[in-house]
Coordinates of all heavy atoms in Angstrom, one line a residue:
Q208 N -15.6 -10.8 2.3 CA -17.0 -10.9 2.7 C -17.9 -10.0 1.7 O -19.0 -9.6 2.1 CB -17.2 -10.3 4.1 CG -16.7 -11.3 5.2 CD -15.1 -11.4 5.3 OE1 -14.4 -10.4 5.3 NE2 -14.7 -12.7 5.2
N209 N -17.2 -9.7 0.6 CA -17.8 -8.9 -0.5 C -18.2 -7.5 0.0 O -19.2 -6.9 -0.4 CB -19.1 -9.6 -1.0 CG -18.8 -10.9 -1.8 OD1 -17.6 -11.1 -2.1 ND2 -19.8 -11.7 -2.1
Q210 N -17.3 -6.9 0.8 CA -17.4 -5.6 1.2 C -16.4 -4.7 0.7 O -15.2 -4.9 0.7 CB -17.3 -5.5 2.8 CG -18.4 -6.3 3.5 CD -18.3 -6.2 5.0 OE1 -19.2 -5.9 5.8 NE2 -17.1 -6.4 5.6
L211 N -16.9 -3.6 0.0 CA -16.0 -2.6 -0.5 C -16.1 -1.4 0.4 O -17.2 -0.7 0.6 CB -16.3 -2.1 -1.9 CG -15.6 -1.1 -2.5 CD1 -14.1 -1.5 -2.8 CD2 -16.1 -0.5 -3.8
T212 N -15.0 -1.1 1.2 CA -15.0 -0.1 2.2 C -14.2 1.1 1.5 O -13.2 1.0 1.1 CB -14.4 -0.4 3.5 OG1 -15.0 -1.6 4.0 CG2 -14.3 0.7 4.5
I213 N -14.9 2.3 1.5 CA -14.2 3.5 1.1 C -14.0 4.4 2.3 O -15.0 4.8 3.0 CB -15.1 4.3 0.0 CG1 -15.4 3.3 -1.2 CG2 -14.4 5.4 -0.4 CD1 -16.3 4.0 -2.1
T214 N -12.8 4.9 2.5 CA -12.4 5.7 3.7 C -11.8 7.0 3.1 O -10.8 7.0 2.5 CB -11.4 5.0 4.7 OG1 -12.0 3.7 5.0 CG2 -11.2 5.9 5.8
Y215 N -12.5 8.1 3.5 CA -11.9 9.4 3.1 C -11.2 10.1 4.3 O -11.9 9.9 5.5 CB -13.0 10.3 2.6 CG -13.5 9.9 1.2 CD1 -14.8 9.4 1.0 CD2 -12.7 10.0 0.1 CE1 -15.2 9.0 -0.2 CE2 -13.1 9.5 -1.2 CZ -14.4 9.1 -1.3 OH -14.9 8.7 -2.5
G216 N -10.1 10.7 4.2 CA -9.4 11.3 5.2 C -8.9 12.7 4.8 O -8.6 12.8 3.6
A217 N -8.6 13.5 5.7 CA -8.0 14.8 5.4 C -7.4 15.6 6.6 O -7.9 15.3 7.7 CB -9.0 15.7 4.7
T218 N -6.4 16.3 6.3 CA -5.8 17.1 7.3 C -5.6 18.5 6.7 O -5.5 18.6 5.5 CB -4.4 16.6 7.8 OG1 -3.6 16.4 6.8 CG2 -4.6 15.3 8.6
T219 N -5.4 19.6 7.5 CA -5.3 20.9 7.0 C -4.2 21.7 7.7 O -3.9 21.3 8.9 CB -6.6 21.7 7.0 OG1 -6.5 23.0 6.4 CG2 -7.1 21.8 8.5
D220 N -3.7 22.8 7.2 CA -2.7 23.6 7.9 C -3.4 24.9 8.3 O -2.7 25.7 9.0 CB -1.5 23.9 7.0 CG -1.9 24.7 5.7 OD1 -3.1 25.0 5.5 OD2 -0.9 25.1 4.9
K221 N -4.6 25.1 8.0 CA -5.4 26.2 8.6 C -6.9 25.9 8.6 O -7.2 25.0 7.9 CB -5.1 27.6 7.9 CG -5.6 27.6 6.5 CD -5.5 29.0 5.9 CE -4.1 29.5 5.6 NZ -4.0 30.8 4.9
P222 N -7.6 26.6 9.4 CA -9.1 26.3 9.5 C -9.7 26.3 8.2 O -9.5 27.2 7.3 CB -9.6 27.4 10.4 CG -8.5 27.7 11.3 CD -7.2 27.6 10.4
T223 N -10.5 25.2 7.9 CA -11.3 25.1 6.7 C -12.5 24.4 6.9 O -12.9 24.1 8.0 CB -10.4 24.5 5.6 OG1 -11.0 24.6 4.3 CG2 -10.2 23.0 5.9
I224 N -13.3 24.0 5.8 CA -14.5 23.1 5.9 C -14.2 22.0 5.0 O -13.6 22.1 3.9 CB -15.7 23.9 5.6 CG1 -15.7 24.5 4.1 CG2 -16.0 25.0 6.5 CD1 -17.0 25.0 3.6
V225 N -14.7 20.8 5.4 CA -14.5 19.6 4.7 C -15.8 18.8 4.7 O -16.4 18.6 5.7 CB -13.4 18.7 5.1 CG1 -13.1 17.5 4.2 CG2 -12.1 19.6 5.3
N226 N -16.2 18.2 3.5 CA -17.3 17.3 3.4 C -17.2 16.5 2.2 O -17.6 16.8 1.2 CB -18.6 18.0 3.4 CG -19.8 17.0 3.4 OD1 -19.8 16.0 4.0 ND2 -20.9 17.4 2.7
M227 N -16.4 15.3 2.3 CA -16.1 14.5 1.2 C -17.0 13.3 1.1 O -17.5 12.8 2.2 CB -14.6 14.0 1.2 CG -13.6 15.1 1.1 SD -11.9 14.5 1.4 CE -11.7 13.3 0.1
T228 N -17.3 12.8 -0.1 CA -18.1 11.6 -0.3 C -17.9 11.0 -1.6 O -17.1 11.6 -2.4 CB -19.6 11.9 -0.1 OG1 -20.3 10.6 0.1 CG2 -20.2 12.6 -1.3
N229 N -18.5 9.8 -1.9 CA -18.4 9.2 -3.2 C -19.7 9.4 -3.9 O -20.8 9.1 -3.3 CB -18.0 7.8 -3.1 CG -17.8 7.1 -4.4 OD1 -18.7 6.7 -5.1 ND2 -16.5 6.9 -4.8
H230 N -19.6 9.8 -5.1 CA -20.9 10.1 -5.9 C -21.2 9.0 -6.9 O -21.7 9.2 -8.0 CB -20.7 11.4 -6.7 CG -21.9 12.1 -7.1 ND1 -22.7 11.6 -8.2 CD2 -22.6 13.1 -6.6 CE1 -23.8 12.4 -8.3 NE2 -23.7 13.4 -7.5
A231 N -21.0 7.7 -6.5 CA -21.5 6.6 -7.3 C -23.0 6.7 -7.5 O -23.8 6.9 -6.6 CB -21.0 5.3 -6.7
L232 N -23.4 6.3 -8.8 CA -24.8 6.0 -9.1 C -24.9 4.5 -9.4 O -24.2 4.0 -10.2 CB -25.3 6.8 -10.2 CG -25.7 8.3 -9.8 CD1 -24.6 9.2 -10.0 CD2 -26.9 8.8 -10.7
F233 N -25.8 3.9 -8.7 CA -26.0 2.4 -8.8 C -27.3 2.1 -9.4 O -28.2 2.7 -9.4 CB -25.9 1.8 -7.4 CG -24.6 2.0 -6.6 CD1 -24.5 2.9 -5.6 CD2 -23.5 1.2 -7.1 CE1 -23.3 3.0 -4.9 CE2 -22.3 1.4 -6.3 CZ -22.2 2.3 -5.3
N234 N -27.2 0.9 -10.1 CA -28.5 0.2 -10.5 C -28.1 -1.3 -10.3 O -27.4 -1.9 -11.0 CB -28.7 0.4 -12.0 CG -29.9 -0.3 -12.5 OD1 -30.5 -1.0 -11.8 ND2 -30.2 -0.2 -13.8
V235 N -28.7 -1.9 -9.3 CA -28.4 -3.3 -9.0 C -28.9 -4.3 -10.0 O -28.6 -5.5 -9.9 CB -28.8 -3.6 -7.5 CG1 -27.8 -3.0 -6.5 CG2 -30.3 -3.3 -7.2
A236 N -29.7 -3.8 -10.9 CA -30.1 -4.6 -12.0 C -29.0 -4.7 -13.1 O -29.1 -5.5 -14.0 CB -31.5 -4.1 -12.6
G237 N -28.0 -3.8 -13.0 CA -27.0 -3.7 -13.9 C -27.1 -2.4 -14.6 O -28.1 -2.0 -15.2
E238 N -25.9 -1.7 -14.7 CA -25.9 -0.4 -15.3 C -26.3 -0.5 -16.8 O -25.9 -1.5 -17.5 CB -24.5 0.2 -15.2 CG -23.4 -0.4 -16.0 CD -23.2 0.1 -17.4 OE1 -23.7 1.2 -17.7 OE2 -22.7 -0.7 -18.2
G239 N -27.1 0.4 -17.3 CA -27.5 0.4 -18.7 C -28.6 -0.6 -19.0 O -29.0 -0.8 -20.2
S240 N -29.2 -1.2 -18.0 CA -30.3 -2.1 -18.2 C -31.5 -1.4 -18.8 O -31.7 -0.2 -18.5 CB -30.7 -2.9 -16.9 OG -31.2 -1.9 -15.9
A241 N -32.2 -2.1 -19.6 CA -33.3 -1.5 -20.3 C -34.4 -0.8 -19.5 O -34.9 0.2 -19.9 CB -34.0 -2.5 -21.2
D242 N -34.6 -1.4 -18.3 CA -35.7 -0.8 -17.4 C -35.1 0.3 -16.4 O -35.9 0.8 -15.6 CB -36.3 -2.0 -16.6 CG -37.1 -3.0 -17.5 OD1 -37.5 -2.5 -18.6 OD2 -37.1 -4.1 -17.1
G243 N -33.9 0.6 -16.6 CA -33.3 1.6 -15.7 C -33.2 1.1 -14.2 O -33.3 -0.1 -13.9
A244 N -33.1 2.1 -13.3 CA -32.9 1.7 -11.9 C -34.1 2.0 -11.1 O -34.2 1.7 -9.8 CB -31.7 2.5 -11.3
M245 N -35.2 2.4 -11.7 CA -36.4 2.8 -10.8 C -37.2 1.6 -10.3 O -38.1 1.7 -9.5 CB -37.3 3.7 -11.6 CG -36.8 5.1 -11.9 SD -36.3 6.1 -10.5 CE -34.6 5.7 -10.3
G246 N -36.8 0.4 -10.8 CA -37.4 -0.8 -10.2 C -36.6 -1.4 -9.1 O -37.1 -2.3 -8.4
N247 N -35.5 -0.7 -8.7 CA -34.8 -1.2 -7.5 C -35.7 -0.9 -6.3 O -36.4 0.1 -6.2 CB -33.5 -0.3 -7.4 CG -32.5 -0.7 -8.4 OD1 -31.3 -0.2 -8.3 ND2 -32.7 -1.5 -9.4
V248 N -35.4 -1.7 -5.3 CA -36.2 -1.6 -4.0 C -35.3 -1.0 -3.0 O -34.2 -1.6 -2.7 CB -36.8 -3.0 -3.6 CG1 -37.5 -2.8 -2.3 CG2 -37.7 -3.5 -4.7
L249 N -35.7 0.0 -2.3 CA -34.9 0.8 -1.4 C -35.5 0.7 0.0 O -36.6 0.9 0.2 CB -34.7 2.2 -1.9 CG -33.9 3.2 -1.0 CD1 -32.5 2.8 -0.9 CD2 -34.1 4.6 -1.4
T250 N -34.5 0.5 1.0 CA -34.9 0.7 2.3 C -33.9 1.7 3.0 O -32.6 1.6 2.7 CB -34.8 -0.6 3.1 OG1 -35.4 -1.6 2.4 CG2 -35.4 -0.5 4.5
L251 N -34.3 2.7 3.7 CA -33.5 3.7 4.3 C -33.7 3.8 5.8 O -34.9 3.8 6.3 CB -33.8 5.2 3.7 CG -33.3 5.4 2.3 CD1 -33.9 6.7 1.8 CD2 -31.8 5.5 2.3
A252 N -32.6 3.8 6.5 CA -32.7 4.0 8.0 C -32.8 5.5 8.3 O -31.8 6.1 8.7 CB -31.4 3.4 8.7
S253 N -33.9 6.1 8.0 CA -34.1 7.5 8.2 C -35.5 7.9 8.6 O -36.4 7.4 7.9 CB -33.7 8.2 6.7 OG -34.0 9.6 6.8
D254 N -35.6 8.6 9.6 CA -36.9 9.0 10.0 C -37.3 10.4 9.6 O -38.4 10.9 9.8 CB -37.0 9.0 11.6 CG -36.9 7.6 12.1 OD1 -37.4 6.6 11.5 OD2 -36.3 7.4 13.3
G255 N -36.3 11.1 9.1 CA -36.5 12.5 8.7 C -35.6 12.9 7.5 O -34.6 12.3 7.2
Y256 N -35.9 14.0 6.9 CA -35.1 14.5 5.8 C -35.1 16.0 5.9 O -35.8 16.7 6.6 CB -35.6 14.1 4.4 CG -36.9 14.8 4.0 CD1 -36.8 15.9 3.0 CD2 -38.1 14.5 4.4 CE1 -37.9 16.5 2.6 CE2 -39.3 15.2 4.0 CZ -39.2 16.1 3.0 OH -40.3 16.8 2.6
T257 N -34.2 16.7 5.1 CA -34.0 18.1 5.2 C -34.6 18.7 3.9 O -34.1 18.6 2.8 CB -32.6 18.6 5.3 OG1 -31.8 17.9 4.2 CG2 -32.0 18.1 6.6
P258 N -35.8 19.3 4.0 CA -36.5 19.9 2.9 C -35.7 21.0 2.2 O -34.8 21.7 3.0 CB -37.9 20.4 3.4 CG -37.6 20.6 4.8 CD -36.6 19.5 5.2
V259 N -35.9 21.3 1.0 CA -35.0 22.3 0.3 C -35.9 23.5 -0.2 O -37.2 23.3 -0.5 CB -34.2 21.7 -0.9 CG1 -33.2 20.7 -0.3 CG2 -35.1 21.0 -1.8
D260 N -35.2 24.5 -0.5 CA -35.9 25.7 -1.2 C -35.8 25.5 -2.7 O -35.4 24.5 -3.2 CB -35.4 27.0 -0.8 CG -33.9 27.2 -1.1 OD1 -33.4 26.5 -2.1 OD2 -33.2 28.0 -0.5
A261 N -36.3 26.5 -3.4 CA -36.3 26.4 -4.9 C -35.0 26.2 -5.5 O -34.8 25.8 -6.7 CB -37.0 27.6 -5.5
E262 N -33.9 26.6 -4.8 CA -32.5 26.4 -5.4 C -31.8 25.2 -4.7 O -30.7 25.0 -4.9 CB -31.6 27.7 -4.9 CG -32.2 29.0 -5.5 CD -31.5 30.2 -5.1 OE1 -30.7 30.0 -4.1 OE2 -31.9 31.3 -5.6
L263 N -32.7 24.2 -4.2 CA -32.2 22.9 -3.7 C -31.3 23.1 -2.5 O -30.4 22.2 -2.3 CB -31.5 22.1 -4.8 CG -32.5 21.6 -5.9 CD1 -31.6 20.9 -7.0 CD2 -33.5 20.7 -5.4
I264 N -31.4 24.2 -1.8 CA -30.6 24.4 -0.6 C -31.5 24.1 0.6 O -32.7 24.5 0.7 CB -30.2 25.9 -0.4 CG1 -29.4 26.3 -1.7 CG2 -29.3 26.1 0.8 CD1 -28.2 25.4 -2.0
P265 N -31.0 23.3 1.6 CA -31.9 23.0 2.8 C -32.4 24.2 3.5 O -31.6 25.2 3.6 CB -30.9 22.2 3.6 CG -29.9 21.6 2.7 CD -29.7 22.6 1.6
T266 N -33.6 24.2 3.9 CA -34.2 25.3 4.7 C -33.7 25.4 6.1 O -33.8 26.5 6.7 CB -35.7 25.2 4.7 OG1 -36.1 24.0 5.4 CG2 -36.3 25.1 3.3
G267 N -33.0 24.3 6.6 CA -32.6 24.2 8.0 C -33.4 23.5 8.8 O -33.1 23.1 10.0
Q268 N -34.7 23.1 8.3 CA -35.6 22.3 9.0 C -35.3 20.7 8.8 O -34.7 20.4 7.8 CB -37.0 22.6 8.6 CG -37.5 24.0 8.9 CD -38.8 24.3 8.4 OE1 -39.2 23.9 7.3 NE2 -39.6 25.0 9.2
I269 N -35.8 19.9 9.7 CA -35.8 18.5 9.5 C -37.3 18.1 9.6 O -38.0 18.4 10.6 CB -35.0 17.8 10.6 CG1 -33.5 18.1 10.4 CG2 -35.2 16.3 10.5 CD1 -32.6 17.5 11.4

Side-chain angles (χ1 to χ4, degrees):
Q208 288 70 51
N209 293 348
Q210 297 181 132
L211 177 67
T212 300
I213 304 176
T214 303
Y215 291 111
T218 58
T219 184
D220 65 352
K221 68 171 64 170
T223 191
I224 59 171
V225 185
N226 182 35
M227 296 170 63
T228 193
N229 187 279
H230 199 284
L232 276 90
F233 296 107
N234 179 2
V235 285
E238 67 86 23
S240 63
D242 296 331
M245 294 300 95
N247 288 190
V248 177
L249 176 65
T250 313
L251 285 171
S253 174
D254 295 327
Y256 76 100
T257 53
V259 297
D260 62 20
E262 298 175 353
L263 293 174
I264 304 300
T266 63
Q268 298 176 317
I269 294 177

